[in-house]
Amino acid sequence: MNSSSVTVRAAPSLALIKYWGKANGSEPPNRPATSSIAVSLEGLYSEARVTSAENRDCVILDGREMDGRRYAAFFENIRACLDVKHFYECICRNNFPSAAGLASSSSGFAALAAGCARLSSLLLEKPTPDLRTLSALARVGSASAARAVYPGFVILKANAEAALPLYAPDFWPELRVIVARISDEAKPRSSRDAMEHTRATSPYYPAWLRDSRALFTRALAALERRDLAQLGPLIRASTYRMFGSILAADPVIIYWKPLTLALLEQLEELRGQGLLLFETMDAGPQVKIFCLEREARQAVASIQKAIPELADRLSVLAPGGGLTWPEQET
Ligand code: 2P0
């Protein structure tokens, strides 16, 4: 590998039990207020190609330079932890829409943290930091990114510095996620802003925090048993209770589109026919549906028939993900 450039990919981390809110409000160091459980998804990825720079940090995502203020604390923390002085130039791309509610900040910051840390390690002729350290570095950029450095099933506990790997992807090889791309538009308000707005103005936020602790414990037990019939309702509860707290914020933030609701209605109908389909949503209009492999094809066909606008906007993904280093794989 050429030590002056590092390329790394990371897959998005989709939460079954949601992180929403920060332990210390809007202040650094960006630790979550709730414990989350997530799965990293095979097939979607963010890629970062990182080189060192002389004068300033720079992130170019899908050809556009990003606002440096969003990245300043992240890069400062990396330099302090690795004891380096140089800056980073990062050319990034996603093979899926950015900032549209497909967890691109989880995969993006995981790839950035791994790429920057590996580059600096190569320049210092030191080993690359371990995954726990990369997870802590990624968390400063985006708390969900702490989870995305690991493949498979991952937890990030409330107030934690780093995520913990729970099970490898082959722990539950039959699990699938149908991703419905309702819209490719960037969301109107970032998760970071929206969760702080929720904390500051929603009377339901304290209840969300309390309840999410119970959901986390119950979901861990259902996941251990690979019991989708038990786990699925907990995934839905975490989603709708998170949105309940957002809908009670003042002023309200609405991420859903008419097509989001059309799909939710259709899922209710398919559940009535006996299919095990359990939706989750993040800060955006997209819908992700947990199901088993044996029912995924039928579910996709039924959704395509009922909602033709979604016909070519559905993908079926499996657990996987984590960090990959494409230059080393060739
Ligand atoms: C999650 N989300 O657990 C939750 C569910 C969205 C809804 O993590 O402020 O981009 O950068 O730490 O990680 C999205 O929030 O927020 C997110 P920051 P992040 O996946």
Side-chain angles (χ1 to χ4, degrees), residues 8 42 74 81 115 128 152 181 183 203 215 227 243 263 300 312:
V8 59
E42 198 63 35
F74 168 78
C81 289
T128 306
R181 276 190 302 113
S183 164
L215 282 181
D227 183 343
F243 276 102
L263 177 53
V300 166
D312 57 358

Side-chain angles (χ1 to χ4, degrees), residues 13-20 22 30 34 36-38 70 103-106 109 139-145 147 187 190-193 195 242-243 246 280-283:
S13 168
L14 174 63
L16 292 74
I17 299 298
K18 303 294 184 186
Y19 144 58
W20 192 257
K22 296 182 196 298
N30 203 34
T34 64
S36 54
I37 305 175
R70 174 69 181 86
S104 61
S105 71
S106 69
F109 275 105
R139 190 209 76 246
V140 174
S142 234
S144 54
R147 303 184 313 232
K187 57 196 170 198
S190 72
S191 304
R192 176 159 294 196
D193 278 2
M195 67 176 79
M242 177 187 82
F243 276 102
I246 300 171
T280 187
M281 290 164 284
D282 296 298

Side-chain angles (χ1 to χ4, degrees), residues 115-130:
C116 294
R118 183 156 173 79
L119 177 80
S120 293
S121 305
L122 288 170
L123 295 174
L124 295 170
E125 300 186 347
K126 284 184 174 172
T128 306
D130 61 15

Side-chain angles (χ1 to χ4, degrees), residues 58 96 120 140 160 203 232 246 268-269 286 294:
C58 166
F96 61 97
S120 293
V140 174
I246 300 171
E268 190 66 23
E269 190 166 323
Q286 328 299 359
R294 62 171 185 269

